[in-house]
Amino acid sequence: MSSQLRFQVVGEAFKKHPVEVPAPSERPSEFFAKYVFNRQKMKAFLPDNVFEKMTEVIDHGATLDLATADAVAAGMKKWAMSLGATHITHWFQPLTEGTAEKHDGFVEHDGKGGMIEEFTGKQLVQQEPDASSFPSGGIRSTFEARGYSAWDPSSPVFVMGDTLMIPTVFIAYTGEALDYKAPLKKALHAVDKAATDVCHYFYPDVKKVVCNLGWEQEYFLVDEGLYAARPDLLMTGRTLMGHDSAKNQQMDDHYFGSIPERVAAFMKDLEIQALELGIPCKTRHNEVAPNQFELAPIFEETNLAVDHNMLLMSLMKKVARKHGFRVLLHEKPFAGVNGSGKHNNWSLATDTGVLLHAPGKNQLDNLRFITFIVETLMAVWRHNGLLKASIVSATNAHRLGANEAPPAIISSFLGKQLCQALEHLEQDTAIEEALGDKHTIDLGIPQIPELLIDNTDRNRTSPFAFTGNRFEFRAVGSEANCASAMIALNAAVAEALMDFKQRVDARIAEGEETLKAVLAVLRQDIRTCKPIHFEGNGYSDEWKKEAAHRGLDVEASVPLVIDRYLDPGSIEMFAKTHVFTKAELEARNEIKWETYTKKIQIEARIFGDLCMNHIIPVATRYQSVLINNVHQMREIFSGDQLQQLTANNLTLIQEISEHTNFITTQTNALIEARRVANRLQDVRQKAIAYHDNVAPLIEEIRYHVDKLELIVDDELWPLPKYREILFIR
Ligand code: ADP
Ligand code: MG
């Protein structure tokens, strides 16, 4: 029996045929947001005055009184029960991965010995989950366990299964954020305020600036049976060993290929369920690597987009299992083929409908366009190390800075047209002279139709690329909560805009005309932020040298990159924008270092176990077969002939010994390295030790395991191989 068949038998759930996904009786426009308590449902289920109050709360951040909350809860309960909900949960995003929830039934004593269905405003607005087991980086001492979750009315509640899910922030009683959502909302508020102020130079009637996020989620699917036979995938989300498949992505055939039937059924099911939950899925396609796919919705307001991405990731896991798959969100599940990212398409837009990162129809619009581009670049330049820190993790390191990965450097690609426009503005002083009449400023950006600029040369190697009307932050990991990147980016851009405004206002106060002042400051900034601007191949070695020369952050060690959060410039920026206090930054960093250590620790443990329990015994068994064969040959042949005929096996026997000896000795060294690291008290030092001394040993040993995979009899090999896992049929 081939090993592939053996492993398929392992998974009971293995399904040869696609699961039938019945077509919904309604059209997407009808079932979209079926399970979401959106405005339409609010209007139907809430009294008029309550609906109006809620609109104020959602749109303008008005405070919510308990009477209104009670009325809203009553309407929600009625709606949710009509969909079969029996429980509620506050749904939040702790600093671990994923989301957390604690379910409570809709039941209360009725005071007469019975039960009634109840859901009060207080339950809706605030809860105290037992917070002691969520990481807090020492902010909230464990014995107190005093954290609470508070409703975020700007993200609508929804029903999933039998549960009414209430998006919430998660905060310590002392006020520090213990999650991603609270600081994200602060960063979005900061960028709204700063961008609105800057907009007033161009458009006095702007009242609000909204941040857009369109994420593109990449993922792998593997067969559940094969997955179950890989303890490394099961425990760490990636394969810690496995030789390249003879064929992987070199033919580029997967990217253009049609979607396999089983996968198509999964996608259809996922999309229908996602649409019902209000996630506006739009695009799906194969990615570069075999078994790799992508899903992208239409962009939304960032807070909502982040919630939708978190929801989608958990939905994916659930739906995949129904179809006999496991979804891998890890950034690098397989060596030798592409990893997965989550491009974050980011832009700012006004309440009057102007896309601030898009060129406009007249020269005033274009000056506004250049302003927002340049100040974004200023933010990215000033905080390039911090932005990298916002996306690093033990898992994303495999896409940034590690083996096979592009260098860990943040830079920005702009494309030819935008480059020329900036150059023109920087050098042509005649622009200023023409400023007498603001409608005749020639910025060297003629009426560029949006489509045209969108199709400018694309650079796939840039971690932060301008793509026509937005920036695409591509370094974000597939498994990550986008909020981390969005917090750092929006806070940094808010700071840049505040700083820009301060300098422009100073010039205006001295009597300079507004647009001339804007131009003068922009001209300075175009020069200042030049080091961040890079149009070349971001994956090349020359770039590493050049970037260091330019003063960009080139650190690749994750524990050291995390330090950037505590740079004086970062602390100041987060304080100015009211996003994080220093104490919060310190606490969060502790969690980041701890998480890093734990991830590598788990990898090292499972890897060591696999080496000793799976690989060495099997290699030794095969070696014995070869040794027996040599002995038996001795009984039949002799002399030169014997030597000739047994030469190959003798070489193999020796090679196997070399590999197994290396693996055994180094696995012991790995255990020792862990022991030494574990003795360190300081969380940062421990993470550094895991990075420097533990992680590299895994890679070193892996090389020998992968060599053994090529030698040992396929029937004996205890793990499904890449060629088996990577091609769904
Ligand atoms: P790609 O060509 O890179 O695959 P798509 O055109 O499919 O990109 O769009 C990727 C994501 O970018 C989608 O979620 C899309 O809605 C989003 N997007 C498009 N325009 C903007 C914008 N101005 N701001 C933010 N996101 C945007
Ligand atoms: Mg893209």
Side-chain angles (χ1 to χ4, degrees):
M1 194 192 274
S2 79
S3 58
Q4 187 194 330
L5 275 175
R6 271 187 295 127
F7 293 119
Q8 285 179 353
V9 174
V10 172
E12 280 243 13
F14 176 75
K15 291 178 184 69
K16 205 161 174 155
H17 301 292
V19 176
E20 276 299 323
V21 183
S25 54
E26 305 147 304
R27 281 176 306 197
S29 59
E30 289 163 325
F31 65 76
F32 179 70
K34 185 170 167 182
Y35 295 111
V36 183
F37 195 63
N38 55 14
R39 277 176 212 242
Q40 206 188 340
K41 266 61 153 264
M42 275 190 221
K43 187 124 184 71
F45 283 84
L46 301 180
D48 286 350
N49 63 328
V50 176
F51 173 74
E52 266 154 43
K53 271 217 180 115
M54 267 316 291
T55 313
E56 270 302 296
V57 170
I58 294 169
D59 292 345
H60 305 294
T63 39
L64 185 76
D65 56 89
L66 205 57
T68 309
D70 275 331
V72 174
M76 269 180 191
K77 187 184 77 179
K78 202 163 155 212
W79 167 76
M81 285 175 67
S82 77
L83 293 169
T86 52
H87 284 66
I88 61 149
T89 182
H90 273 200
W91 182 69
F92 57 99
Q93 300 168 21
L95 294 168
T96 45
E97 278 154 25
T99 52
E101 38 195 84
K102 172 185 171 239
H103 296 220
D104 287 318
F106 275 138
V107 286
E108 272 308 324
H109 288 294
D110 64 356
K112 297 175 233 156
M115 286 284 199
I116 50 165
E117 280 81 30
E118 186 161 273
F119 175 45
T120 63
K122 199 167 164 295
Q123 281 175 298
L124 165 65
V125 172
Q126 191 169 322
Q127 283 196 356
E128 272 185 64
D130 175 14
S132 56
S133 47
F134 294 108
S136 67
I139 282 180
R140 186 178 29 66
S141 29
T142 336
F143 58 89
E144 277 184 304
R146 282 161 69 86
Y148 65 94
S149 54
W151 182 31
D152 168 20
S154 64
S155 180
V157 305
F158 53 93
V159 167
M160 217 174 160
D162 62 3
T163 306
L164 174 65
M165 314 278 282
I166 302 166
T168 58
V169 293
F170 183 42
I171 330 178
Y173 257 87
T174 38
E176 289 89 357
L178 298 174
D179 71 347
Y180 284 108
K181 193 188 251 289
L184 176 66
K185 288 182 71 82
K186 291 180 186 171
L188 293 173
H189 179 71
V191 84
D192 166 15
K193 170 84 178 59
T196 302
D197 286 349
V198 168
C199 273
H200 289 161
Y201 294 134
F202 313 99
Y203 319 116
D205 48 347
V206 168
K207 291 200 186 62
K208 190 174 168 58
V209 169
V210 175
C211 175
N212 296 321
L213 168 62
W215 41 263
E216 300 165 57
Q217 178 73 52
E218 292 180 337
Y219 62 96
F220 280 84
L221 284 179
V222 297
D223 187 86
E224 185 155 45
L226 300 175
Y227 173 88
R230 293 280 319 210
D232 48 355
L233 266 184
L234 213 95
M235 305 269 173
T236 71
R238 76 170 175 122
T239 53
L240 297 168
M241 45 185 69
H243 199 277
D244 271 0
S245 164
K247 170 174 185 283
N248 47 46
Q249 63 185 45
Q250 64 273 66
M251 306 291 285
D252 280 335
D253 49 354
H254 190 250
Y255 194 68
F256 298 109
S258 62
I259 297 173
E261 215 181 324
R262 269 181 82 197
V263 177
F266 156 78
M267 285 177 168
K268 182 175 162 196
D269 204 357
L270 174 65
E271 272 168 29
I272 293 169
Q273 294 195 42
L275 285 165
E276 285 175 341
L277 286 166
I279 306 171
C281 299
K282 186 165 170 72
T283 314
R284 60 174 176 207
H285 58 75
N286 286 358
E287 266 301 328
V288 176
N291 278 22
Q292 194 188 26
F293 308 94
E294 180 187 294
L295 182 149
I298 300 167
F299 69 87
E300 298 177 281
E301 186 279 320
T302 300
N303 179 40
L304 188 59
V306 168
D307 284 359
H308 279 167
N309 181 246
M310 298 308 289
L311 187 55
L312 179 92
M313 290 195 288
S314 56
L315 194 61
M316 272 178 144
K317 290 180 192 162
K318 202 180 95 192
V319 178
R321 294 186 71 163
K322 181 173 144 196
H323 291 260
F325 289 127
R326 285 301 181 120
V327 61
L328 305 179
L329 294 172
H330 193 290
E331 283 81 359
K332 190 82 175 173
F334 303 99
V337 297
N338 276 18
S340 300
K342 176 150 53 199
H343 296 178
N344 277 204
N345 293 269
W346 168 90
S347 69
L348 299 173
T350 68
D351 57 344
T352 54
V354 179
L355 208 45
L356 294 171
H357 289 94
K361 293 188 182 61
N362 60 46
Q363 300 297 2
L364 184 73
D365 288 342
N366 282 336
L367 188 58
R368 172 271 304 158
F369 164 59
I370 298 289
T371 302
F372 280 90
I373 294 290
V374 171
E375 293 315 310
T376 300
L377 293 177
M378 282 295 280
V380 178
W381 166 70
R382 194 174 288 146
H383 295 290
N384 68 89
L386 174 69
L387 285 172
K388 182 166 63 184
S390 78
I391 55 93
V392 292
S393 63
T395 52
N396 203 20
H398 296 283
R399 283 178 66 242
L400 221 65
N403 270 345
E404 284 186 19
I409 303 165
I410 301 294
S411 66
S412 186
F413 167 84
L414 300 177
K416 206 149 79 196
Q417 275 173 310
L418 186 51
C419 282
Q420 279 169 355
L422 293 188
E423 226 166 82
H424 180 69
L425 189 76
E426 185 196 341
Q427 282 155 16
D428 188 356
T429 42
I431 296 174
E432 247 138 350
E433 280 144 35
L435 266 178
D437 167 9
K438 64 183 176 190
H439 292 292
T440 62
I441 334 166
D442 179 10
L443 296 179
I445 314 169
Q447 260 68 4
I448 308 165
E450 234 172 80
L451 259 184
L452 202 83
I453 203 161
D454 197 34
N455 286 332
T456 48
D457 36 351
R458 287 211 158 189
N459 180 323
R460 291 278 163 205
T461 66
S462 176
F464 195 79
F466 177 68
T467 48
N469 57 11
R470 61 190 187 269
F471 280 94
E472 201 170 316
F473 195 3
R474 299 193 180 127
V476 182
S478 47
E479 197 171 46
N481 185 327
C482 310
S484 178
M486 288 295 108
I487 293 165
L489 177 62
N490 285 296
V493 170
E495 181 202 42
L497 290 169
M498 283 154 76
D499 181 63
F500 171 77
K501 181 170 156 41
Q502 211 171 29
R503 287 175 295 143
V504 172
D505 285 352
R507 284 172 166 265
I508 296 172
E510 281 171 18
E512 198 164 6
E513 200 263 331
T514 304
L515 293 186
K516 270 192 184 160
V518 166
L519 262 178
V521 174
L522 281 181
R523 191 165 282 151
Q524 274 172 9
D525 289 355
I526 289 172
R527 283 188 201 116
T528 310
C529 70
K530 255 187 200 158
I532 199 69
H533 177 198
F534 181 62
E535 300 286 299
N537 177 4
Y539 291 180
S540 67
D541 280 335
E542 303 83 74
W543 171 230
K544 252 196 236 175
K545 284 190 212 108
E546 165 69 15
H549 181 68
R550 292 185 185 191
L552 297 180
D553 193 299
V554 294
E555 182 57 61
S557 154
V558 172
L560 296 180
V561 172
I562 292 170
D563 284 347
R564 298 284 73 76
Y565 273 103
L566 295 173
D567 284 347
S570 305
I571 294 173
E572 192 193 339
M573 182 276 282
F574 283 126
K576 237 193 287 182
T577 50
H578 305 290
V579 172
F580 288 125
T581 61
K582 189 173 172 216
E584 282 175 308
L585 288 171
E586 281 167 348
R588 295 171 89 94
N589 261 19
E590 267 188 37
I591 296 167
K592 292 191 176 93
W593 285 313
E594 248 168 43
T595 308
Y596 179 85
T597 297
K598 282 183 193 154
K599 289 255 174 182
I600 307 290
Q601 195 172 46
I602 293 169
E603 285 194 351
R605 282 187 188 149
I606 189 73
F607 183 79
D609 289 354
L610 279 177
C611 284
M612 300 315 287
N613 307 333
H614 284 61
I615 307 304
I616 299 287
V618 163
T620 314
R621 202 183 322 158
Y622 181 58
Q623 193 183 35
S624 301
V625 172
L626 295 175
I627 293 171
N628 283 340
N629 176 272
V630 173
H631 281 308
Q632 285 158 359
M633 294 289 262
R634 278 205 182 119
E635 284 167 20
I636 307 172
F637 302 104
S638 62
D640 278 358
Q641 202 185 8
L642 175 68
Q643 223 162 23
Q644 232 175 42
L645 292 174
T646 53
N648 275 339
N649 278 356
L650 286 170
T651 313
L652 282 180
I653 290 165
Q654 193 182 339
E655 271 179 37
I656 292 175
S657 279
E658 280 163 10
H659 292 308
T660 52
N661 282 344
F662 186 94
I663 293 169
T664 313
T665 332
Q666 291 307 88
T667 301
N668 287 330
L670 182 67
I671 294 167
E672 186 51 28
R674 253 163 45 212
R675 215 172 269 150
V676 172
N678 289 345
R679 278 201 289 266
L680 295 167
Q681 288 305 311
D682 181 83
V683 283
R684 178 174 173 275
Q685 290 304 333
K686 196 186 279 189
I688 293 173
Y690 265 89
H691 174 274
D692 293 353
N693 307 327
V694 178
L697 273 176
I698 299 178
E699 293 306 313
E700 241 180 81
I701 303 169
R702 176 193 178 136
Y703 173 84
H704 293 271
V705 174
D706 292 353
K707 286 283 174 215
L708 280 177
E709 187 189 310
L710 293 181
I711 299 174
V712 172
D713 181 358
D714 185 59
E715 293 236 345
L716 294 178
W717 196 252
L719 300 169
K721 296 180 178 178
Y722 273 24
R723 65 163 184 266
E724 293 155 356
I725 310 174
L726 270 174
F727 297 91
I728 290 173
R729 277 143 293 242

